[in-house]
Amino acid sequence: MKSKLFNFTRSIMAVAAVGTAMMAMPAFAQNTIKIGMITDKVGVAKAYAEPVAAGVTFAVKELNAKGGILGKQIELLVEDDQAKPDVSATVARKLVDAGAVFILSVSLTPATQQAQSVTKESKTPHMTPSNSGDTLTTQVDNPNFWQTGPLASTQIKTLLSYAKNKNYKRVALIGENSDLGQLTNKFFKSGLEAAGIQIVAEEIVPGGATTADPQMQKVRAANPEALFMTGITTGPNLLILKSYRQLGLKTPVLANYNMSVPVYMTAAKGLIDGITFVDAFDPAKPATRTFVEAYKKDTGQEPYNLIGYGYDGVMMVADAIKRAGSTDKEKVRAAMQATKGFKGVMGSTDAAYGFADGKRTGFDTNGMVVRVYEGDKQGKVVHVGAN
């Protein structure tokens, strides 16, 4: 009898314990702030998405170590869209259903574009801290979406500001046929034309090509005063640089921000000395130096610009939630749109993120810098801003 009574009592206690645990689960879930991240772990954007994602992860870790946001820890929900637009929309829905109060897209530009269909409908705040396509905030009327990467139009303005004393009249463009590469080429072309500069050659190296000699021979025949590189993908850019050297061209090369990615210091070794490129990362900036040291201490690795984009993105989201004083999506949306003068690790010393009324692109238009390769190393900043 005592044994039966003991077993019955134990069963009641077990049921009570389960009930208590089930009651505690919602409370635990409410004790975190969920931020979603859509990245690319296997697709064509992997080489760029992974370092941006690393910056996001480090920022979340740093914030949580300091108490999180509004007294709650950040829970980072990560989804892989494989750089596929349809998959990006699917995982965006998954993140919304999981309770994400904000979503960061660090994948391919077309994938980020498609994910907006979900965040617009669900009114979920959504931002890309790294994509540079000028059309991301214009093709979809989504008041819940922002972009803080350096626009292609800002890149060409900065390069032209740097080169204004050169007084170029005749230049060439060379790029590749990825979606973002074509978009960058489009805005470089319109920027040059707006400046009254004649484009005497415009060449594209297709994906899968094994040489850029035919395109570079046409560039050489046109005899431009400068050559602007608009390509985003590494493979075609390496072919362009190799052909440039092998054909003995001496035309000054001015490249978009893709040339700032450190992979070129090894993959293009011996090919990049003297190449001018636009960047959004100034290692001499005090805030950047602090970030670099903290990241090195935590990971043992040297951070670079792509990692900085992800870091700044999370810090801006945290700032908006703090100012909103809530995780209510509408309040967070309004707080993000009201962002002004936010100093991050990216951009020149005086650069600040902010969204003008009715605008959702937030990188400082005078925040980019110009650097020049010295041998196989990225040199110091030689020019700041687009003015």
Side-chain angles (χ1 to χ4, degrees):
M1 183 69 180
K2 289 182 178 180
S3 176
K4 290 182 178 179
L5 180 60
F6 175 77
N7 289 335
F8 177 76
T9 302
R10 186 169 60 179
S11 297
I12 291 296
M13 292 174 65
V15 170
V18 170
T20 302
M22 290 178 69
M23 290 173 64
M25 284 175 67
F28 175 77
Q30 292 171 5
N31 200 39
T32 64
I33 292 178
K34 296 180 179 181
I35 295 176
M37 176 173 66
I38 302 174
T39 186
D40 174 19
K41 296 182 179 181
V42 298
V44 294
K46 176 183 177 180
Y48 305 101
E50 284 193 330
V52 180
V56 168
T57 301
F58 175 66
V60 168
K61 182 178 181 180
E62 188 174 270
L63 285 167
N64 280 340
K66 295 178 180 178
I69 309 174
L70 303 181
K72 298 181 181 181
Q73 293 286 285
I74 303 167
E75 184 180 352
L76 184 63
L77 309 177
V78 182
E79 294 292 338
D80 177 13
D81 70 1
Q82 306 165 47
K84 298 177 179 178
D86 58 332
V87 177
S88 198
T90 299
V91 297
R93 173 60 62 185
K94 183 178 179 181
L95 289 171
V96 169
D97 291 344
V101 300
F102 209 111
I103 293 175
L104 291 168
S105 282
V106 302
S107 184
L108 201 66
T109 295
T112 298
Q113 189 82 60
Q114 191 62 35
Q116 285 194 61
S117 62
V118 173
T119 55
K120 179 180 180 180
E121 179 272 328
S122 64
K123 297 182 180 180
T124 301
H126 179 198
M127 181 170 74
T128 174
S130 53
N131 291 155
S132 60
D134 280 68
T135 57
L136 269 171
T137 62
T138 59
Q139 288 188 347
V140 178
D141 182 19
N142 182 3
N144 310 292
F145 178 82
W146 302 269
Q147 176 180 10
T148 54
L151 301 181
S153 56
T154 299
Q155 295 177 46
I156 185 60
K157 287 178 182 177
T158 304
L159 286 172
L160 288 175
S161 175
Y162 161 76
K164 62 183 177 182
N165 64 328
K166 307 291 185 182
N167 199 30
Y168 294 137
K169 298 296 184 185
R170 305 171 67 258
V171 304
L173 282 172
I174 188 163
E176 40 78 26
N177 63 352
S178 69
D179 289 332
L180 184 54
Q182 292 181 71
L183 192 60
T184 303
N185 194 82
K186 173 184 175 182
F187 281 96
F188 267 48
K189 183 176 181 179
S190 62
L192 290 165
E193 290 175 341
I197 299 173
Q198 181 185 5
I199 299 171
V200 295
E202 184 179 354
E203 296 296 327
I204 296 294
V205 178
T210 57
T211 179
D213 283 354
Q215 292 82 7
M216 291 302 290
Q217 286 167 351
K218 293 178 182 177
V219 167
R220 182 175 61 179
N223 193 29
E225 297 168 333
L227 173 61
F228 286 83
M229 286 183 64
T230 64
I232 296 297
T233 55
T234 306
N237 280 346
L238 291 176
L239 293 177
I240 291 168
L241 292 169
K242 183 178 180 181
S243 182
Y244 175 83
R245 296 300 182 190
Q246 289 181 341
L247 293 175
L249 274 70
K250 302 299 181 185
T251 306
V253 176
L254 293 87
N256 71 41
Y257 86 106
N258 175 264
M259 199 57 63
S260 68
V261 180
V263 66
Y264 290 99
M265 290 190 282
T266 52
K269 193 172 184 178
L271 302 176
I272 51 179
D273 182 42
I275 301 294
T276 299
F277 62 98
V278 68
D279 198 359
F281 196 69
D282 182 358
K285 181 179 177 179
T288 306
R289 288 202 304 266
T290 300
F291 161 70
V292 168
E293 290 306 313
Y295 190 86
K296 284 170 61 177
K297 183 178 180 181
D298 184 72
T299 67
Q301 299 177 340
E302 184 91 15
Y304 54 96
N305 55 4
L306 293 178
I307 297 172
Y309 289 133
Y311 180 87
D312 276 359
V314 172
M315 291 305 181
M316 290 185 70
V317 171
D319 177 69
I321 293 174
K322 288 175 184 176
R323 285 186 286 110
S326 167
T327 55
D328 177 81
K329 289 182 179 181
E330 174 54 29
K331 291 180 179 178
V332 174
R333 185 208 65 77
M336 179 59 76
Q337 186 62 55
T339 299
K340 299 284 189 302
F342 183 90
K343 295 291 186 75
V345 303
M346 299 301 294
S348 59
T349 300
D350 297 325
Y353 295 101
F355 302 104
D357 293 341
K359 301 293 184 182
R360 289 175 283 113
T361 53
F363 191 86
D364 193 331
T365 54
N366 280 306
M368 299 207 78
V369 300
V370 177
R371 302 167 71 183
V372 181
Y373 275 100
E374 299 172 356
D376 293 317
K377 301 294 183 182
Q378 294 180 353
K380 63 182 180 181
V381 170
V382 296
H383 180 81
V384 175
N387 291 331

